[in-house]
PDB file of all heavy atoms in Angstrom:
ATOM      1  N   GLU A  23     -21.704  -4.877 -29.148  1.00  0.00           N
ATOM      2  CA  GLU A  23     -21.412  -4.925 -27.714  1.00  0.00           C
ATOM      3  C   GLU A  23     -22.577  -4.428 -26.866  1.00  0.00           C
ATOM      4  O   GLU A  23     -22.896  -5.026 -25.836  1.00  0.00           O
ATOM      5  CB  GLU A  23     -20.151  -4.106 -27.415  1.00  0.00           C
ATOM      6  CG  GLU A  23     -18.890  -4.648 -28.058  1.00  0.00           C
ATOM      7  CD  GLU A  23     -18.581  -6.088 -27.649  1.00  0.00           C
ATOM      8  OE1 GLU A  23     -18.920  -6.462 -26.495  1.00  0.00           O
ATOM      9  OE2 GLU A  23     -18.044  -6.834 -28.472  1.00  0.00           O
ATOM     10  N   VAL A  77      -9.459 -19.307 -40.907  1.00  0.00           N
ATOM     11  CA  VAL A  77      -9.844 -17.979 -40.406  1.00  0.00           C
ATOM     12  C   VAL A  77      -9.622 -17.955 -38.887  1.00  0.00           C
ATOM     13  O   VAL A  77     -10.400 -18.555 -38.133  1.00  0.00           O
ATOM     14  CB  VAL A  77     -11.313 -17.658 -40.746  1.00  0.00           C
ATOM     15  CG1 VAL A  77     -11.678 -16.276 -40.213  1.00  0.00           C
ATOM     16  CG2 VAL A  77     -11.534 -17.735 -42.248  1.00  0.00           C
ATOM     17  N   LEU A  91     -18.839 -22.160 -21.768  1.00  0.00           N
ATOM     18  CA  LEU A  91     -19.747 -23.281 -21.506  1.00  0.00           C
ATOM     19  C   LEU A  91     -19.097 -24.381 -20.666  1.00  0.00           C
ATOM     20  O   LEU A  91     -19.739 -25.380 -20.348  1.00  0.00           O
ATOM     21  CB  LEU A  91     -20.231 -23.869 -22.838  1.00  0.00           C
ATOM     22  CG  LEU A  91     -21.122 -22.955 -23.690  1.00  0.00           C
ATOM     23  CD1 LEU A  91     -21.355 -23.570 -25.064  1.00  0.00           C
ATOM     24  CD2 LEU A  91     -22.451 -22.699 -22.990  1.00  0.00           C
ATOM     25  N   ALA A  97     -12.715 -26.191 -26.278  1.00  0.00           N
ATOM     26  CA  ALA A  97     -12.006 -24.915 -26.221  1.00  0.00           C
ATOM     27  C   ALA A  97     -10.532 -25.099 -26.548  1.00  0.00           C
ATOM     28  O   ALA A  97      -9.946 -24.321 -27.316  1.00  0.00           O
ATOM     29  CB  ALA A  97     -12.165 -24.290 -24.832  1.00  0.00           C
ATOM     30  N   LEU A 101      -8.486 -23.413 -29.633  1.00  0.00           N
ATOM     31  CA  LEU A 101      -7.390 -22.486 -29.343  1.00  0.00           C
ATOM     32  C   LEU A 101      -6.056 -23.018 -29.845  1.00  0.00           C
ATOM     33  O   LEU A 101      -5.172 -22.237 -30.205  1.00  0.00           O
ATOM     34  CB  LEU A 101      -7.349 -22.196 -27.843  1.00  0.00           C
ATOM     35  CG  LEU A 101      -8.570 -21.408 -27.332  1.00  0.00           C
ATOM     36  CD1 LEU A 101      -8.631 -21.430 -25.811  1.00  0.00           C
ATOM     37  CD2 LEU A 101      -8.536 -19.969 -27.843  1.00  0.00           C
ATOM     38  N   ASN A 110       1.871 -15.495 -33.138  1.00  0.00           N
ATOM     39  CA  ASN A 110       2.391 -14.239 -32.592  1.00  0.00           C
ATOM     40  C   ASN A 110       1.324 -13.397 -31.898  1.00  0.00           C
ATOM     41  O   ASN A 110       1.593 -12.256 -31.512  1.00  0.00           O
ATOM     42  CB  ASN A 110       3.040 -13.411 -33.702  1.00  0.00           C
ATOM     43  CG  ASN A 110       4.312 -14.058 -34.216  1.00  0.00           C
ATOM     44  OD1 ASN A 110       5.005 -14.743 -33.468  1.00  0.00           O
ATOM     45  ND2 ASN A 110       4.598 -13.867 -35.489  1.00  0.00           N
ATOM     46  N   ASP A 145       5.376  -7.516 -29.647  1.00  0.00           N
ATOM     47  CA  ASP A 145       4.284  -6.550 -29.773  1.00  0.00           C
ATOM     48  C   ASP A 145       4.860  -5.136 -29.879  1.00  0.00           C
ATOM     49  O   ASP A 145       5.568  -4.685 -28.967  1.00  0.00           O
ATOM     50  CB  ASP A 145       3.365  -6.666 -28.553  1.00  0.00           C
ATOM     51  CG  ASP A 145       2.145  -5.779 -28.659  1.00  0.00           C
ATOM     52  OD1 ASP A 145       2.315  -4.543 -28.620  1.00  0.00           O
ATOM     53  OD2 ASP A 145       1.038  -6.313 -28.756  1.00  0.00           O
ATOM     54  N   ASP A 164       4.513   4.812 -18.553  1.00  0.00           N
ATOM     55  CA  ASP A 164       3.290   4.740 -17.740  1.00  0.00           C
ATOM     56  C   ASP A 164       2.064   5.068 -18.591  1.00  0.00           C
ATOM     57  O   ASP A 164       1.033   4.384 -18.521  1.00  0.00           O
ATOM     58  CB  ASP A 164       3.407   5.705 -16.561  1.00  0.00           C
ATOM     59  CG  ASP A 164       2.290   5.543 -15.557  1.00  0.00           C
ATOM     60  OD1 ASP A 164       1.813   4.403 -15.373  1.00  0.00           O
ATOM     61  OD2 ASP A 164       1.881   6.552 -14.950  1.00  0.00           O
ATOM     62  N   ALA A 174      -7.156  -3.629 -22.446  1.00  0.00           N
ATOM     63  CA  ALA A 174      -6.968  -5.059 -22.182  1.00  0.00           C
ATOM     64  C   ALA A 174      -6.423  -5.208 -20.765  1.00  0.00           C
ATOM     65  O   ALA A 174      -5.209  -5.326 -20.558  1.00  0.00           O
ATOM     66  CB  ALA A 174      -6.012  -5.662 -23.206  1.00  0.00           C
ATOM     67  N   ALA A 179       1.782  -9.399 -19.773  1.00  0.00           N
ATOM     68  CA  ALA A 179       3.052  -8.740 -20.101  1.00  0.00           C
ATOM     69  C   ALA A 179       2.989  -7.255 -19.795  1.00  0.00           C
ATOM     70  O   ALA A 179       3.945  -6.668 -19.263  1.00  0.00           O
ATOM     71  CB  ALA A 179       3.398  -8.972 -21.567  1.00  0.00           C
ATOM     72  N   GLU A 230       6.086 -15.714   1.601  1.00  0.00           N
ATOM     73  CA  GLU A 230       5.507 -15.644   0.256  1.00  0.00           C
ATOM     74  C   GLU A 230       6.589 -15.794  -0.808  1.00  0.00           C
ATOM     75  O   GLU A 230       6.365 -16.429  -1.847  1.00  0.00           O
ATOM     76  CB  GLU A 230       4.770 -14.320   0.081  1.00  0.00           C
ATOM     77  CG  GLU A 230       3.570 -14.156   0.990  1.00  0.00           C
ATOM     78  CD  GLU A 230       3.136 -12.709   1.103  1.00  0.00           C
ATOM     79  OE1 GLU A 230       2.336 -12.278   0.258  1.00  0.00           O
ATOM     80  OE2 GLU A 230       3.607 -12.012   2.026  1.00  0.00           O
ATOM     81  N   TYR A 269      23.236 -25.489  -4.168  1.00  0.00           N
ATOM     82  CA  TYR A 269      24.498 -25.039  -4.765  1.00  0.00           C
ATOM     83  C   TYR A 269      25.352 -26.230  -5.193  1.00  0.00           C
ATOM     84  O   TYR A 269      25.956 -26.224  -6.284  1.00  0.00           O
ATOM     85  CB  TYR A 269      25.264 -24.168  -3.779  1.00  0.00           C
ATOM     86  CG  TYR A 269      24.612 -22.838  -3.480  1.00  0.00           C
ATOM     87  CD1 TYR A 269      24.569 -22.328  -2.179  1.00  0.00           C
ATOM     88  CD2 TYR A 269      24.030 -22.076  -4.489  1.00  0.00           C
ATOM     89  CE1 TYR A 269      23.979 -21.103  -1.904  1.00  0.00           C
ATOM     90  CE2 TYR A 269      23.432 -20.856  -4.223  1.00  0.00           C
ATOM     91  CZ  TYR A 269      23.408 -20.386  -2.926  1.00  0.00           C
ATOM     92  OH  TYR A 269      22.817 -19.179  -2.655  1.00  0.00           O
ATOM     93  N   PRO A 280      31.964 -19.589 -10.865  1.00  0.00           N
ATOM     94  CA  PRO A 280      32.573 -18.954  -9.687  1.00  0.00           C
ATOM     95  C   PRO A 280      31.556 -18.339  -8.733  1.00  0.00           C
ATOM     96  O   PRO A 280      31.740 -18.380  -7.513  1.00  0.00           O
ATOM     97  CB  PRO A 280      33.496 -17.891 -10.294  1.00  0.00           C
ATOM     98  CG  PRO A 280      33.088 -17.753 -11.723  1.00  0.00           C
ATOM     99  CD  PRO A 280      32.500 -19.058 -12.121  1.00  0.00           C
ATOM    100  N   VAL A 300      36.596 -22.337   2.847  1.00  0.00           N
ATOM    101  CA  VAL A 300      37.880 -21.976   2.235  1.00  0.00           C
ATOM    102  C   VAL A 300      38.010 -22.620   0.855  1.00  0.00           C
ATOM    103  O   VAL A 300      38.390 -21.980  -0.129  1.00  0.00           O
ATOM    104  CB  VAL A 300      39.056 -22.395   3.142  1.00  0.00           C
ATOM    105  CG1 VAL A 300      40.386 -22.264   2.396  1.00  0.00           C
ATOM    106  CG2 VAL A 300      39.079 -21.554   4.406  1.00  0.00           C
ATOM    107  N   MET A 313      37.658 -11.800  -9.123  1.00  0.00           N
ATOM    108  CA  MET A 313      36.402 -11.818  -8.371  1.00  0.00           C
ATOM    109  C   MET A 313      36.663 -11.305  -6.961  1.00  0.00           C
ATOM    110  O   MET A 313      36.941 -12.049  -6.022  1.00  0.00           O
ATOM    111  CB  MET A 313      35.819 -13.231  -8.340  1.00  0.00           C
ATOM    112  CG  MET A 313      34.385 -13.287  -7.876  1.00  0.00           C
ATOM    113  SD  MET A 313      33.711 -14.966  -8.079  1.00  0.00           S
ATOM    114  CE  MET A 313      31.986 -14.645  -7.765  1.00  0.00           C
ATOM    115  N   SER A 319      35.831 -12.516   0.858  1.00  0.00           N
ATOM    116  CA  SER A 319      35.183 -13.541   1.684  1.00  0.00           C
ATOM    117  C   SER A 319      36.231 -14.477   2.274  1.00  0.00           C
ATOM    118  O   SER A 319      36.113 -14.904   3.427  1.00  0.00           O
ATOM    119  CB  SER A 319      34.177 -14.336   0.841  1.00  0.00           C
ATOM    120  OG  SER A 319      33.176 -13.488   0.321  1.00  0.00           O
ATOM    121  N   ALA A 346      39.410  -0.176 -15.737  1.00  0.00           N
ATOM    122  CA  ALA A 346      38.109  -0.802 -15.993  1.00  0.00           C
ATOM    123  C   ALA A 346      36.994   0.178 -15.652  1.00  0.00           C
ATOM    124  O   ALA A 346      37.175   1.119 -14.884  1.00  0.00           O
ATOM    125  CB  ALA A 346      37.970  -2.079 -15.164  1.00  0.00           C
ATOM    126  N   ASP A 348      33.062   1.519 -14.387  1.00  0.00           N
ATOM    127  CA  ASP A 348      32.403   1.557 -13.082  1.00  0.00           C
ATOM    128  C   ASP A 348      31.816   0.217 -12.683  1.00  0.00           C
ATOM    129  O   ASP A 348      31.649  -0.057 -11.488  1.00  0.00           O
ATOM    130  CB  ASP A 348      31.282   2.608 -13.087  1.00  0.00           C
ATOM    131  CG  ASP A 348      31.819   4.028 -13.078  1.00  0.00           C
ATOM    132  OD1 ASP A 348      33.043   4.185 -12.880  1.00  0.00           O
ATOM    133  OD2 ASP A 348      31.021   4.968 -13.271  1.00  0.00           O
ATOM    134  N   TYR A 378      43.445  -0.572   2.925  1.00  0.00           N
ATOM    135  CA  TYR A 378      42.155  -0.331   3.584  1.00  0.00           C
ATOM    136  C   TYR A 378      41.628   1.063   3.222  1.00  0.00           C
ATOM    137  O   TYR A 378      40.431   1.249   2.958  1.00  0.00           O
ATOM    138  CB  TYR A 378      42.295  -0.446   5.096  1.00  0.00           C
ATOM    139  CG  TYR A 378      42.320  -1.851   5.650  1.00  0.00           C
ATOM    140  CD1 TYR A 378      43.222  -2.208   6.659  1.00  0.00           C
ATOM    141  CD2 TYR A 378      41.427  -2.820   5.202  1.00  0.00           C
ATOM    142  CE1 TYR A 378      43.235  -3.493   7.198  1.00  0.00           C
ATOM    143  CE2 TYR A 378      41.442  -4.105   5.730  1.00  0.00           C
ATOM    144  CZ  TYR A 378      42.350  -4.437   6.732  1.00  0.00           C
ATOM    145  OH  TYR A 378      42.355  -5.705   7.265  1.00  0.00           O
ATOM    146  N   ALA A 402      16.790  14.270  17.616  1.00  0.00           N
ATOM    147  CA  ALA A 402      15.332  14.355  17.680  1.00  0.00           C
ATOM    148  C   ALA A 402      14.758  13.209  18.505  1.00  0.00           C
ATOM    149  O   ALA A 402      13.829  13.403  19.306  1.00  0.00           O
ATOM    150  CB  ALA A 402      14.749  14.345  16.267  1.00  0.00           C
ATOM    151  N   PRO A 427       6.806 -11.247  25.838  1.00  0.00           N
ATOM    152  CA  PRO A 427       8.169 -11.064  26.362  1.00  0.00           C
ATOM    153  C   PRO A 427       9.231 -11.731  25.495  1.00  0.00           C
ATOM    154  O   PRO A 427      10.405 -11.774  25.877  1.00  0.00           O
ATOM    155  CB  PRO A 427       8.090 -11.768  27.730  1.00  0.00           C
ATOM    156  CG  PRO A 427       7.138 -12.905  27.480  1.00  0.00           C
ATOM    157  CD  PRO A 427       6.140 -12.416  26.451  1.00  0.00           C
ATOM    158  N   GLN A 445      25.743 -15.306  20.908  1.00  0.00           N
ATOM    159  CA  GLN A 445      26.087 -16.723  20.982  1.00  0.00           C
ATOM    160  C   GLN A 445      25.989 -17.237  22.413  1.00  0.00           C
ATOM    161  O   GLN A 445      25.538 -18.363  22.649  1.00  0.00           O
ATOM    162  CB  GLN A 445      27.497 -16.940  20.419  1.00  0.00           C
ATOM    163  CG  GLN A 445      27.945 -18.389  20.374  1.00  0.00           C
ATOM    164  CD  GLN A 445      27.355 -19.171  19.210  1.00  0.00           C
ATOM    165  OE1 GLN A 445      26.457 -18.680  18.538  1.00  0.00           O
ATOM    166  NE2 GLN A 445      27.842 -20.380  18.989  1.00  0.00           N
ATOM    167  N   ASP A 517      17.042 -10.789  18.489  1.00  0.00           N
ATOM    168  CA  ASP A 517      17.135  -9.969  17.274  1.00  0.00           C
ATOM    169  C   ASP A 517      18.429  -9.179  17.406  1.00  0.00           C
ATOM    170  O   ASP A 517      18.536  -8.276  18.232  1.00  0.00           O
ATOM    171  CB  ASP A 517      15.931  -9.030  17.180  1.00  0.00           C
ATOM    172  CG  ASP A 517      15.980  -8.131  15.937  1.00  0.00           C
ATOM    173  OD1 ASP A 517      17.063  -7.963  15.359  1.00  0.00           O
ATOM    174  OD2 ASP A 517      14.929  -7.574  15.577  1.00  0.00           O
ATOM    175  N   LEU A 528      11.180   3.299  20.510  1.00  0.00           N
ATOM    176  CA  LEU A 528      10.084   2.650  19.785  1.00  0.00           C
ATOM    177  C   LEU A 528       9.908   1.210  20.263  1.00  0.00           C
ATOM    178  O   LEU A 528       8.767   0.739  20.428  1.00  0.00           O
ATOM    179  CB  LEU A 528      10.371   2.680  18.282  1.00  0.00           C
ATOM    180  CG  LEU A 528       9.343   1.983  17.382  1.00  0.00           C
ATOM    181  CD1 LEU A 528       7.977   2.658  17.499  1.00  0.00           C
ATOM    182  CD2 LEU A 528       9.823   1.973  15.929  1.00  0.00           C
ATOM    183  N   SER A 547      38.903   0.611  19.214  1.00  0.00           N
ATOM    184  CA  SER A 547      38.893  -0.784  18.783  1.00  0.00           C
ATOM    185  C   SER A 547      37.676  -1.081  17.918  1.00  0.00           C
ATOM    186  O   SER A 547      37.778  -1.682  16.844  1.00  0.00           O
ATOM    187  CB  SER A 547      38.913  -1.694  20.011  1.00  0.00           C
ATOM    188  OG  SER A 547      38.977  -3.042  19.639  1.00  0.00           O
ATOM    189  N   SER A 599      35.066  -6.168  29.653  1.00  0.00           N
ATOM    190  CA  SER A 599      34.663  -6.814  30.911  1.00  0.00           C
ATOM    191  C   SER A 599      34.299  -8.271  30.665  1.00  0.00           C
ATOM    192  O   SER A 599      34.600  -9.148  31.487  1.00  0.00           O
ATOM    193  CB  SER A 599      33.470  -6.083  31.528  1.00  0.00           C
ATOM    194  OG  SER A 599      33.807  -4.745  31.815  1.00  0.00           O
ATOM    195  N   LEU A 611      24.199 -10.780  32.728  1.00  0.00           N
ATOM    196  CA  LEU A 611      23.394 -10.728  31.508  1.00  0.00           C
ATOM    197  C   LEU A 611      22.136 -11.585  31.642  1.00  0.00           C
ATOM    198  O   LEU A 611      21.020 -11.133  31.340  1.00  0.00           O
ATOM    199  CB  LEU A 611      24.250 -11.212  30.326  1.00  0.00           C
ATOM    200  CG  LEU A 611      23.554 -11.389  28.978  1.00  0.00           C
ATOM    201  CD1 LEU A 611      22.997 -10.061  28.480  1.00  0.00           C
ATOM    202  CD2 LEU A 611      24.537 -11.976  27.952  1.00  0.00           C
ATOM    203  N   GLU A 657      47.777   3.374  14.837  1.00  0.00           N
ATOM    204  CA  GLU A 657      47.482   4.630  15.520  1.00  0.00           C
ATOM    205  C   GLU A 657      48.027   5.864  14.795  1.00  0.00           C
ATOM    206  O   GLU A 657      47.348   6.916  14.783  1.00  0.00           O
ATOM    207  CB  GLU A 657      48.005   4.579  16.956  1.00  0.00           C
ATOM    208  CG  GLU A 657      47.521   5.739  17.794  1.00  0.00           C
ATOM    209  CD  GLU A 657      47.820   5.548  19.281  1.00  0.00           C
ATOM    210  OE1 GLU A 657      48.536   4.577  19.637  1.00  0.00           O
ATOM    211  OE2 GLU A 657      47.334   6.368  20.086  1.00  0.00           O
TER     212      GLU A 657
END
Side-chain angles (χ1 to χ4, degrees):
E23 296 302 328
V77 180
L91 294 171
L101 293 167
N110 292 330
D145 185 292
D164 189 33
E230 296 162 88
Y269 292 138
V300 169
M313 194 173 190
S319 300
D348 287 350
Y378 281 138
Q445 183 78 350
D517 179 341
L528 177 62
S547 183
S599 299
L611 173 62
E657 190 169 8

